[in-house]
Amino acid sequence: MRTYHCFWLLFWAGQPHQSFLTPLSKRTSGFPEKEKVLVLSGNSRQDLHRSKRSWMWNQFFLLEEYTGTDYQYVGKLHSDQDKGDGSLKYILSGDGAGDLFIINENTGDIQATKRLDREEKPVYILRAQAINRRTGRPVEPESEFIIKIHDINDNEPMFTKDVYNASIPEMSDVGTFVVQVTATDADDPTYGNSAKVVYSILQGQPYFSVESETGIIKTALLNMDRENREQYQVVIQAKDMGGQMGGLSGTTTVNITLTDVNDNPPRFPQSTYQFRAPESTPLDSPVGRVKANDADVDENAEIEYSITEGDGYDMFGITTDKDTQEGIITVKKALDFESKNLYILKVEATNTHVDPRFLYLGPFKDSATVRIQVEDVDEPPMFSRPAYIMEVKEDVPLNSIIGTVTAQDPDAAKNPVKYSVDRHTDMDRVFNINSGNGSIFTSKPLDRETLLWHNITVIAAEINNPRQSSRVPVFIKVLDVNDNAPEFAMFYETFVCENAKAEQLIQTLSAVDKDDSYNGHQFSFSLAPEAASSSNFTLQDNRDNTAGIFTRKTRYNRHETSTYFLPVVISDNDYPIQSSTETVTIRVCACDHRGKMLSCNAEALIHPTGLSTGALIAILLCIIILLVTVVLFAALRRQRKKEPLIISKEDIRDNIVSYNDEGGGEEDTQAFDIGTLRNPEAIDDNKLRRDIVPETLFMPRRTATARDNTDVRDFINQRLKENDTDPTAPPYDSLATYAYEGNGSVAESLSSLESVTTDGDQDYDYLSDWGPRFKKLADMYGSMDSDKDS
């Protein structure tokens, strides 16, 4: 229950130097009574001490929103000239006098008649006066006093807007300003905590936060990505009483938004493209794709993309995706947000196959502007070099260290780094790395002749956050050691004439070595020891990495020895010296006096895979005969092709037969033999269709013979009814021309298309059994039935 503190107003009137204070009523209580006597003269508010008449009162306070059943007591007026005989009358004027505030004119008691609201009016200024009831003259000057309305917490905080809309860049840092919300409280800010507002967030965590005193909303989560989520809805609460229990509150909603024959040239659908690239984007990684549309197809629509100009000309590259005809923009150099965060490129799309006939239409190319925004991110470790080049000998022992890479975390935290080899670049696991110090060592034997360069990639990642990693290429060159013997540059197989002379050159030899030589190879040639003394040939080293084979005797006999195998030793001059023994095959052949070979037991040496002219002619004749046979066979098959379905006017399917004959009426018996219509025996009921082989043969129906005196109209109606109900009737539309014209005939149209039998009475399911030629018609009539059913 609320209690109220009131200060009483005392009116003092009397003789000089006499004063008294009327006891205050205790109708309402609760405030500590602090009496303050103000002596006023007239309308003055200064503290005075009068020797004669004066107004004396305590300052009046009323609590707003009084809920009692009686009038709220304010205070009491009293004059020292009031003898209690009713001769004085107390009157009240000013704000709310007579309406909100009333006074007992006899006793001077002041009361409030209504509930007061401080937010509507906080202060009331009134004037009090005592007058003589008989004469109406004032016995004291009119004086002014104030009634202040004391505040209670009866108003909740109200936001200036029901809904706030704001936007911030994506990937913003934690604590980035978003928007400030403001709530006001109509209660008295000078009294208590009724108007002290505290802000809190009800919805939107952990993405955003709000300052409790200012209402400033900030980001609370790092790297919010617009591509993942663009819209956020945050609910903010404002609570008075300093956020304490029992305070009133209000809420508002904040919507936060986080911000791609050739006669047609390529055209970009838009003139400007916007892309974003984190500064940690690896080299050769794609940043975005652009595509120019070309109305042509196949090779005429092939497009080649290039970067022609721009401040990022050397930072980015572009390649063409042959499958999608898109331009893929990639990073060529490392990006740095702190150095430059925006690049502008000009990308050009050009047709690769231009037809000169259409050059007059204009250039077959188009260009677009690409703006690339570099985004700031938590940077991964950085290597001391953009690339490493190392050398190692091919005979190095296993687990030998060949070099070291170094990377550090560029952030202030300086997190420790661990190293690893990207196994996609070292599938055979030839190399390994110490994860702690970055030392690269061999794990398998090396062979320069097999692979000269090993291009591997080393990954450096933070131990605390392995997702933060970077890569560096390491190019390892395998150095050569002399571990390969020289060998012939080719397989040598030569001949010597039977009539050859001594010391005659028959073959020059050369050699190669797989090993590398910085000063050039130097080979030496010699005959093998076992052939040096007994050989029929000699070997001369020319000292220029070649050697010549010479005959040692004057004549050779191929019937005695047809083939000689000459072993030759080849050595290099590197360390350690490597040598090999190669064999030269020498055949003995018959030659003319000029040394030209005539016959030899090794004719395959000259024509190893050749064919004689006669053999080639025979093969060509066989091919021609085979082609003629194929042509004749195809011609015969065409002659034996089946007779076409429609070869005469007997088959009237989809045909309109025009007789160009007009009869003279029923009296004209020469125009057409009407007996044909009357004689059903003339109809061949057993005639089957020739375009398909029906799976089910219906028994032919025998039509009843019409009476001789049957009227033509009745006959036609009878035949029409029979055909409408005949299941063997053709499934296609047909035009039956009866060539009969009567005088005043009431038969009207004789076409079966206007039969009295409706389509709904027909069942066309049997059409699907008549073969593929009637599939289309079956689908048409089947769909009509389904439409009617629906």
Side-chain angles (χ1 to χ4, degrees):
M1 179 176 178
R2 289 178 179 153
T3 58
Y4 301 92
H5 300 268
C6 296
F7 293 93
W8 300 85
L9 177 64
L10 301 179
F11 181 80
W12 180 273
Q15 300 295 325
H17 309 292
Q18 295 181 356
S19 64
F20 65 90
L21 184 63
T22 302
L24 301 180
S25 172
K26 295 186 179 179
R27 184 175 180 178
T28 61
S29 62
F31 284 109
E33 297 181 0
K34 296 183 180 179
E35 295 183 354
K36 181 178 180 183
V37 180
L38 299 178
V39 182
L40 300 180
S41 177
N43 292 332
S44 175
R45 292 190 182 183
Q46 299 179 357
D47 292 344
L48 301 175
H49 297 279
R50 298 182 57 196
S51 58
K52 295 185 70 173
R53 293 175 293 275
S54 65
W55 290 103
M56 296 177 58
W57 61 82
N58 294 329
Q59 190 171 8
F60 290 168
F61 289 91
L62 284 182
L63 199 63
E64 67 171 334
E65 304 295 343
Y66 172 72
T67 57
T69 56
D70 298 333
Y71 289 162
Q72 188 176 6
Y73 190 77
V74 178
K76 183 179 181 66
L77 298 179
H78 186 72
S79 174
D80 57 357
Q81 295 188 15
D82 188 356
K83 306 302 182 179
D85 54 1
S87 61
L88 294 183
K89 178 182 180 181
Y90 297 96
I91 60 175
L92 191 66
S93 63
D95 296 339
D99 183 17
L100 291 178
F101 303 102
I102 59 174
I103 188 172
N104 189 317
E105 62 181 15
N106 295 322
T107 62
D109 293 329
I110 303 174
Q111 293 177 313
T113 63
K114 297 180 180 179
R115 295 173 59 182
L116 302 179
D117 189 355
R118 190 203 66 84
E119 286 69 36
E120 294 181 1
K121 188 174 180 64
V123 177
Y124 293 87
I125 302 175
L126 294 95
R127 293 178 296 277
Q129 193 174 30
I131 61 174
N132 189 291
R133 188 181 297 272
R134 292 191 301 272
T135 62
R137 292 181 180 181
V139 298
E140 292 287 348
E142 185 179 59
S143 295
E144 186 177 86
F145 64 95
I146 297 174
I147 299 178
K148 291 184 177 181
I149 308 303
H150 212 57
D151 184 41
I152 63 172
N153 188 22
D154 61 343
N155 290 277
E156 69 276 5
M158 299 291 293
F159 284 93
T160 57
K161 296 180 181 179
D162 293 334
V163 177
Y164 290 81
N165 294 307
S167 62
I168 57 169
E170 60 176 334
M171 310 303 291
S172 297
D173 295 333
V174 174
T176 301
F177 174 84
V178 179
V179 70
Q180 183 176 13
V181 296
T182 303
T184 58
D185 196 316
D187 293 326
D188 189 0
T190 63
Y191 177 75
N193 295 327
S194 298
K196 185 177 181 180
V197 178
V198 173
Y199 301 92
S200 61
I201 185 169
L202 300 181
Q203 177 182 319
Q205 294 175 327
Y207 307 102
F208 300 94
S209 62
V210 63
E211 292 185 356
S212 60
E213 296 183 358
T214 62
I216 295 177
I217 300 176
K218 299 180 180 180
T219 57
L221 190 64
L222 185 65
N223 296 338
M224 286 188 291
D225 193 354
R226 186 195 65 84
E227 288 72 24
N228 293 334
R229 181 177 176 182
E230 184 179 4
Q231 298 286 340
Y232 293 86
Q233 189 175 76
V234 179
V235 177
I236 302 298
Q237 180 190 67
K239 189 173 183 180
D240 58 16
M241 297 297 292
Q244 298 178 1
M245 185 179 297
L248 303 179
S249 63
T251 60
T252 188
T253 301
V254 183
N255 294 324
I256 302 175
T257 303
L258 300 181
T259 324
D260 160 6
V261 167
N262 188 7
D263 58 347
N264 289 282
R267 287 289 180 264
F268 285 101
Q270 57 193 75
S271 61
T272 303
Y273 290 84
Q274 298 278 354
F275 297 107
R276 295 180 179 271
E279 62 177 337
S280 59
T281 302
L283 297 181
D284 297 327
S285 296
V287 174
R289 289 174 176 249
V290 297
K291 184 177 182 181
N293 298 325
D294 195 320
D296 298 321
V297 295
D298 299 330
E299 69 174 13
N300 293 325
E302 292 181 1
I303 300 173
E304 188 70 27
Y305 296 89
S306 61
I307 298 177
T308 57
E309 60 183 57
D311 57 0
Y313 181 82
D314 59 339
M315 297 294 295
F316 300 92
I318 189 168
T319 57
T320 302
D321 189 332
K322 298 300 182 181
D323 296 330
T324 62
Q325 294 300 312
E326 292 178 311
I328 306 174
I329 301 175
T330 58
V331 178
K332 293 171 57 179
K333 293 184 179 180
L335 303 176
D336 188 2
F337 174 82
E338 290 73 20
S339 300
K340 188 175 181 62
N341 58 14
L342 178 63
Y343 293 91
I344 300 177
L345 309 175
K346 186 177 182 181
V347 176
E348 187 174 83
T350 307
N351 275 137
T352 56
H353 301 279
V354 178
D355 193 335
R357 296 176 300 172
F358 303 105
L359 289 177
Y360 69 92
L361 296 176
F364 279 72
K365 59 184 179 180
D366 193 19
S367 61
T369 301
V370 178
R371 296 168 60 91
I372 302 176
Q373 183 75 42
V374 180
E375 298 178 342
D376 189 18
V377 296
D378 182 15
E379 298 181 72
M382 292 184 61
F383 285 92
S384 58
R385 301 178 191 175
Y388 291 84
I389 299 178
M390 300 178 183
E391 294 181 348
V392 58
K393 290 186 177 181
E394 60 178 329
D395 61 347
V396 67
L398 295 181
N399 298 322
S400 298
I401 297 177
I402 61 176
T404 303
V405 297
T406 305
Q408 292 182 349
D409 184 8
D411 299 325
K414 299 297 181 183
N415 293 319
V417 177
K418 65 177 181 180
Y419 303 90
S420 62
V421 176
D422 185 355
R423 291 306 174 189
H424 292 90
T425 61
D426 186 23
M427 300 293 291
D428 296 331
R429 296 182 176 268
V430 179
F431 301 96
N432 212 332
I433 191 170
N434 189 306
S435 62
N437 57 24
S439 299
I440 300 176
F441 56 91
T442 59
S443 58
K444 288 185 179 181
L446 303 176
D447 186 7
R448 189 200 70 87
E449 288 71 33
T450 302
L451 186 60
L452 176 61
W453 285 93
H454 292 267
N455 302 329
I456 66 174
T457 299
V458 174
I459 303 173
E462 297 180 6
I463 295 179
N464 299 334
N465 185 11
R467 291 179 298 177
Q468 291 295 337
S469 62
S470 58
R471 299 167 176 256
V472 68
V474 179
F475 306 102
I476 303 175
K477 182 179 181 181
V478 181
L479 301 179
D480 185 42
V481 296
N482 192 27
D483 59 346
N484 289 278
E487 57 188 16
F488 280 151
M490 58 181 291
F491 175 73
Y492 287 103
E493 184 175 10
T494 186
F495 71 95
V496 61
C497 295
E498 288 182 306
N499 57 356
K501 298 179 180 180
E503 301 300 326
Q504 180 179 343
L505 178 66
I506 61 173
Q507 182 66 50
T508 300
L509 307 176
S510 63
V512 294
D513 194 334
K514 295 180 180 179
D515 293 324
D516 190 13
S517 178
Y518 298 101
N519 299 323
H521 291 289
Q522 293 183 8
F523 303 126
S524 60
F525 299 85
S526 63
L527 291 177
E530 64 272 13
S533 59
S534 62
S535 176
N536 294 301
F537 302 92
T538 60
L539 181 68
Q540 179 180 340
D541 192 344
N542 298 327
R543 304 297 180 185
D544 60 354
N545 294 335
T546 63
I549 299 177
F550 294 85
T551 58
R552 174 175 285 185
K553 60 184 183 178
T554 301
R555 297 184 62 84
Y556 295 86
N557 190 340
R558 62 188 173 117
H559 298 289
E560 295 179 358
T561 304
S562 61
T563 304
Y564 293 92
F565 298 98
L566 187 65
V568 179
V569 178
I570 311 172
S571 302
D572 57 24
N573 65 341
D574 291 332
Y575 180 82
I577 295 176
Q578 300 287 342
S579 63
S580 65
T581 301
E582 302 287 333
T583 301
V584 179
T585 302
I586 303 174
R587 301 184 183 276
V588 180
C589 301
C591 302
D592 60 12
H593 66 282
R594 291 176 299 182
K596 183 176 181 181
M597 184 178 64
L598 296 178
S599 64
C600 187
N601 63 344
E603 292 184 0
L605 178 66
I606 301 174
H607 299 291
T609 59
L611 295 175
S612 63
T613 304
L616 293 175
I617 294 175
I619 293 174
L620 183 60
L621 289 175
C622 291
I623 294 175
I624 293 174
I625 293 173
L626 181 62
L627 291 176
V628 171
T629 303
V630 172
V631 171
L632 291 176
F633 182 74
L636 290 175
R637 285 180 59 87
R638 183 171 300 177
Q639 291 292 336
R640 295 172 60 186
K641 189 175 181 181
K642 290 181 64 178
E643 180 182 0
L645 294 176
I646 303 176
I647 59 176
S648 68
K649 294 183 181 180
E650 294 179 1
D651 192 341
I652 60 174
R653 178 181 56 187
D654 296 335
N655 292 327
I656 298 178
V657 181
S658 176
Y659 293 97
N660 295 321
D661 182 278
E662 182 176 357
E666 293 182 357
E667 294 81 4
D668 186 1
T669 60
Q670 301 299 325
F672 184 77
D673 186 4
I674 198 68
T676 302
L677 296 176
R678 299 178 179 272
N679 184 12
E681 301 295 338
I683 302 176
D684 187 4
D685 290 332
N686 295 326
K687 183 180 292 185
L688 299 177
R689 296 184 56 186
R690 294 179 299 166
D691 54 349
I692 66 169
V693 177
E695 297 179 1
T696 303
L697 296 177
F698 293 93
M699 295 299 296
R701 298 180 59 189
R702 173 65 66 180
T703 306
T705 305
R707 301 186 305 273
D708 292 339
N709 59 350
T710 301
D711 186 73
V712 173
R713 181 177 63 184
D714 296 337
F715 171 79
I716 291 175
N717 288 336
Q718 178 182 352
R719 292 291 184 263
L720 179 61
K721 183 176 180 181
E722 292 173 354
N723 281 275
D724 283 341
T725 58
D726 185 3
T728 63
Y732 44 80
D733 294 338
S734 60
L735 177 64
T737 304
Y738 292 95
Y740 171 76
E741 181 179 354
N743 293 330
S745 174
V746 295
E748 298 180 352
S749 175
L750 302 179
S751 173
S752 63
L753 297 178
E754 295 184 4
S755 171
V756 295
T757 304
T758 62
D759 291 340
D761 297 333
Q762 298 290 337
D763 183 7
Y764 298 102
D765 291 341
Y766 62 87
L767 294 179
S768 58
D769 299 332
W770 282 34
R773 295 179 181 271
F774 293 90
K775 183 177 185 302
K776 182 66 178 178
L777 194 61
D779 294 341
M780 292 173 56
Y781 277 81
S783 62
M784 292 174 59
D785 295 339
S786 63
D787 292 341
K788 292 179 180 180
D789 295 340
S790 60

